[in-house]
Amino acid sequence: MEISIGELSRRTGVKVPTIRYYESIALMPLPLRSDGQQRRYGGAEVSRLIFIRHARELGFEVDAIRELLAMSARPEQPCAEADRIARRHMTEVDRRISQLVALRAELQRMVDECGHGRVGDCRVIETLADHDQCQHAHH
Amino acid sequence: MEISIGELSRRTGVKVPTIRYYESIALMPLPLRSDGQQRRYGGAEVSRLIFIRHARELGFEVDAIRELLAMSARPEQPCAEADRIARRHMTEVDRRISQLVALRAELQRMVDECGHGRVGDCRVIETLADHDQCQHAHH
DNA sequence: CTTGCTCCTCTAGTCGCTAGAGGTTGTAAC
DNA sequence: GTTACAACCTCTAGCGACTAGAGGAGCAAG
């Protein structure tokens, strides 16, 4: 099986320039080339790129994906490391969720309190301007 | 009241280079200068920067903050616009929350099913590699 | 008047792409 | 066999929202 970069893109849902970008940062390996220097891929690349896309959708950073890919290449190793990466990531996700839930509540309040008055009375502005009235999540 | 950029930074929790960056993109106005060309700020700048920081923490983009600041400068206008911005943002926040909650569940599952064996049996790796088993949020 | 922190400007780097210019290859129809 | 045209190539630059560093000047305390 020899497919072009466009076909690889179609099969994985990763855009063509993004694939080339992944190659440039060595997240994807240097592919074979046709006589006319066009990239040619096989099944291994399809799998690898699906793995990458999936991990990116889950919010893993490229460095974390590199680690995960390195691990999957050595299946005899214990997987504690993969577990650690996933756990670290989950902690971060929890933090983001709680921040967003707090934010959501505040936006709701802002919209609720913004009757049909004028900006002078509008809580959207006030809520954001007032430092003391709204103490919430700091990073 | 005449304060330095460092003092402004301390009072607002916004880093010094970030304040200068905000000035460069005209989110903060050009400040007064000391004889030696150092920036000098007053109370208005403190309020404005707290407003900006707060809005950034809430996830508003700089352009949205610019809109909100423009509105607050014209308090005779109706606040329908501010309301519209807040609503638009809330929809986006809802979307992000539900994505993250789904992601959190999947990470939990990955970690749970990783039996601390070898990578070959690790669900973290498998889950990422398997295209069909995990069909979730696409942007 | 010297020490040493804060301030200045400027440039370049970060992350993860995305867009465009300007040229070449592959393929299908004629 | 040629022609048309999509898909490919490399290269550079841009996005948002900062962050880091170099190299120098200002300022307040002792």
Side-chain angles (χ1 to χ4, degrees):
Chain A
M1 189 183 65
E2 287 230 321
I3 62 171
S4 69
I5 197 168
E7 183 57 28
L8 179 63
S9 171
R10 247 164 275 127
R11 292 197 195 185
T12 60
V14 178
K15 289 177 190 165
V16 169
T18 304
I19 296 170
R20 287 197 278 248
Y21 167 70
Y22 286 162
E23 185 184 318
S24 79
I25 60 168
L27 191 58
M28 286 295 285
L30 293 170
L32 298 173
R33 298 283 183 144
S34 72
D35 291 348
Q37 288 302 97
Q38 297 196 356
R39 290 168 179 83
R40 290 292 175 258
Y41 298 94
E45 280 80 17
V46 174
S47 302
R48 187 184 177 96
L49 197 48
I50 286 169
F51 183 107
I52 293 169
R53 190 198 101 196
H54 199 157
R56 287 291 302 136
E57 281 175 359
L58 288 176
F60 285 90
E61 289 174 10
V62 165
D63 277 352
I65 297 172
R66 242 189 282 264
E67 290 182 272
L68 289 168
L69 281 165
M71 277 184 284
S72 71
R74 290 178 285 107
E76 73 288 351
Q77 299 278 329
C79 74
E81 185 73 3
D83 183 81
R84 197 179 54 73
I85 293 171
R87 278 181 196 278
R88 178 167 18 96
H89 190 62
M90 199 165 64
T91 305
E92 175 61 23
V93 167
D94 281 345
R95 209 178 57 79
R96 276 198 256 168
I97 288 173
S98 61
Q99 273 188 352
L100 282 172
V101 167
L103 154 60
R104 212 259 175 219
E106 185 158 356
L107 284 170
Q108 185 65 65
R109 189 175 65 76
M110 283 161 62
V111 169
D112 287 349
E113 289 182 9
C114 176
H116 304 291
R118 297 174 172 281
V119 174
D121 313 316
C122 183
R123 298 289 302 162
V124 170
I125 299 291
E126 267 177 62
T127 298
L128 294 176
D130 193 335
H131 192 212
D132 301 321
Q133 283 219 356
C134 177
Q135 288 292 340
H136 60 83
H138 300 288
H139 37 118
Chain B
M1 190 181 66
E2 287 230 320
I3 62 172
S4 70
I5 197 168
E7 183 58 28
L8 179 64
S9 173
R10 248 164 274 128
R11 292 197 196 186
T12 59
V14 178
K15 287 176 191 165
V16 169
T18 304
I19 296 170
R20 288 197 277 251
Y21 167 70
Y22 286 161
E23 184 185 317
S24 80
I25 61 168
L27 191 59
M28 286 296 284
L30 294 171
L32 297 173
R33 297 284 181 141
S34 73
D35 291 348
Q37 285 305 95
Q38 297 196 355
R39 289 168 179 83
R40 292 292 174 258
Y41 297 95
E45 279 80 18
V46 175
S47 301
R48 188 185 176 97
L49 197 49
I50 286 169
F51 181 107
I52 293 168
R53 189 198 100 194
H54 201 157
R56 287 292 302 134
E57 282 175 357
L58 288 176
F60 283 91
E61 290 173 10
V62 165
D63 277 353
I65 297 172
R66 243 191 282 266
E67 291 183 276
L68 289 167
L69 282 166
M71 275 184 287
S72 72
R74 291 177 285 105
E76 72 287 353
Q77 300 277 331
C79 74
E81 184 75 2
D83 182 85
R84 193 178 56 75
I85 294 169
R87 277 181 195 279
R88 182 177 1 106
H89 193 67
M90 197 163 66
T91 305
E92 175 62 21
V93 167
D94 281 346
R95 209 176 55 79
R96 278 198 257 168
I97 288 173
S98 60
Q99 272 187 354
L100 283 174
V101 167
L103 155 60
R104 212 255 174 221
E106 185 160 355
L107 285 170
Q108 184 68 66
R109 188 174 67 78
M110 282 163 63
V111 169
D112 286 349
E113 291 182 10
C114 172
H116 305 282
R118 298 180 173 283
V119 172
D121 313 315
C122 180
R123 295 288 306 155
V124 172
I125 302 283
E126 263 179 65
T127 300
L128 292 172
D130 194 334
H131 193 211
D132 300 323
Q133 282 218 1
C134 177
Q135 286 294 337
H136 60 84
H138 300 290
H139 35 121

